[in-house]
Amino acid sequence: STGGTTPSELTLYEYNARNQITLWGPDGQISDYAAKFWSGLVRGYYLPRWQLFIETLSNAVKTGTYVDYNQFEQNLLNFEKSWNIGRENYPTYAIGSTVEIALSVLSKYMTYPNSSVRYRKVQNSDAPGNDMLGQATWTLDIDQLMILCDMDSLCLGFNTIGWIKSDVSQVQVVNGCLLYTSDAADDI
């Protein structure tokens, strides 16, 4: 339940929710104080703000003039207020695969040293010690662990409990653990 029982209450509650995560006051008293990157906000709120900023800068360059920041801020506030009274629905579930999107961005904008590295999976094994971060990573996702390892030329492998390794030469049996060793580990 949204708590609202009448159309005017529902409108007010939605306005208050939108305002809390954007302007935090009727005129942006502490704008972005409670900013969130929730479903739809990036595309529907933050992207148009960036587009307005870039368009303002681009127009200043094209016309050889200075940016009128007072006018920009007024245009921005007008957009933000308009968004706050909007009633468009946003998805309540993720759209797309985070890993696929991250890999797409990586391949488009970044080259990293081990991008051609491939990994061999060693069942029920680990290379104890030689953990690069001093703690397990935030993820157990194999694709994400590969990306992390690929980005560091000292990484020679990782395991399925989230540890990335600088040495995989001393392998031990660890039931239930998979060790992924990179092609680069063969060269050492």
Side-chain angles (χ1 to χ4, degrees), residues 81-155:
K81 285 180 169 184
S82 173
W83 187 87
N84 275 348
I85 61 172
R87 296 297 304 267
E88 59 277 338
N89 290 319
Y90 291 102
T92 57
Y93 54 88
I95 297 174
S97 163
T98 304
V99 171
E100 287 176 20
I101 293 168
L103 288 171
S104 171
V105 170
L106 275 172
S107 67
K108 183 173 182 177
Y109 296 107
M110 183 176 168
T111 57
Y112 41 94
N114 297 334
S115 60
S116 63
V117 170
R118 296 292 168 247
Y119 295 89
R120 281 185 318 287
K121 180 169 46 173
V122 184
Q123 298 282 344
N124 296 314
S125 298
D126 193 13
N130 304 302
D131 302 314
M132 294 181 61
L133 301 178
Q135 66 182 29
T137 64
W138 67 90
T139 185
L140 301 180
D141 181 90
I142 300 304
D143 291 328
Q144 292 177 10
L145 290 165
M146 282 184 190
I147 291 169
L148 288 172
C149 196
D150 286 351
M151 291 177 68
D152 191 324
S153 61
L154 297 177
C155 183

Side-chain angles (χ1 to χ4, degrees), residues 12-23:
L12 176 64
Y13 291 165
E14 182 161 351
Y15 167 80
N16 284 337
R18 287 171 173 250
N19 189 266
Q20 183 181 25
I21 59 172
T22 57
L23 289 175

